Amino acid sequence: MTAQIINGKAFAGTVREKVAGHVARLKEEHGITPGLAVVLVGEDPASQVYVRSKGKQTVEVGMKSVEHKLDADTSEEDLLAVVDQLNNDPDIHGILVQLPLPGHLNEDLVINSIDPAKDVDGFHISNVGLLGTGQKSMVPCTPLGCLMMLRDHHGSLSGLDAVVVGRSNIVGKPMAQLLLGDSCTVTIAHSRTKDLPDVVRRADIVVAAVGRPEMVPGDWIKEGATVIDVGINRIERDGKNKLVGDVDFASASERAGAITPVPGGVGPMTIACLLANTVTACCRANGLAEPEGLTA
């Protein structure tokens, strides 16, 4: 068996097209332009690249993009003041504080200072609680992108056996909640799970999000399973730098029914879903119908 490749780059393009369509209608019918504000503290190179990409794509879909770039030694008080300003700005519907923050800043305190209705990353404790109890919330972008791709591939996920390998607050835990919401039978596995290979082998859906290069080999994958590889790991192979996932793509693609590649799988969906969340937040703030196909 050769697995079908789930092209996240192409799918993300479709999501951005849908977002752009909703933005155009909001402008034309209601005179509203969704606004996304990104706060970057310090000069982490990876964060700078990511923030530039977010800003570029925000503008491309017709939304307002605002960036606040603060020095690495910015005080917690000054950062919280910026967040408070954005919380009270009616033209800003989504706020994202780029992580990681410099070590002297309390990430939990900062994230929980964001208005939950504008928390387009879905990290605020209120949104975590709402998602966990099956209520309307802002959903973390990467798990939302994974769910969109799984729904597109399978149609209904009801009754499928899903294993999420990884228990992070950013991906593993919210991914499990989303799969439960779509009536999967869900197991959260991790590095200390007993008989981990056997746990993974029973899954119709495997979501790998552990941050360890090629941890999941092909012989862990059930014949015909769908594999969503969230990992992005930089390794050196044959004297060259290479990006690989948490799944050994070569061997897994011989057994899986469908699989996301790295790069070009889950990664592009994260920013696309950030844009989708911003439009959703804008619609909620203005009492308008939420965009179909862009929410959990």
Side-chain angles (χ1 to χ4, degrees), residues 58-79:
T58 302
V59 172
E60 285 175 349
V61 297
M63 296 198 294
K64 177 181 179 180
S65 175
V66 174
E67 292 181 10
H68 288 267
K69 295 181 179 179
L70 307 179
D71 292 338
D73 59 357
T74 296
S75 70
E76 204 164 75
E77 181 182 7
D78 287 345
L79 175 55

Side-chain angles (χ1 to χ4, degrees), residues 157-228:
L157 305 182
S158 180
L160 295 180
D161 197 332
V163 170
V164 180
V165 188
R167 49 181 166 174
S168 72
N169 293 330
I170 293 174
V171 179
K173 292 175 184 176
M175 188 75 248
Q177 296 290 353
L178 290 172
L179 290 167
L180 278 172
D182 269 29
S183 299
C184 291
T185 300
V186 182
T187 300
I188 300 180
H190 45 80
S191 60
R192 298 191 182 184
T193 299
K194 291 183 178 179
D195 302 320
L196 179 58
D198 289 337
V199 170
V200 176
R201 282 188 192 107
R202 70 169 182 251
D204 303 305
I205 295 170
V206 178
V207 180
V210 287
R212 292 171 62 177
E214 300 176 333
M215 174 183 165
V216 179
D219 64 5
W220 289 16
I221 303 301
K222 176 182 177 181
E223 200 79 34
T226 302
V227 178
I228 304 293

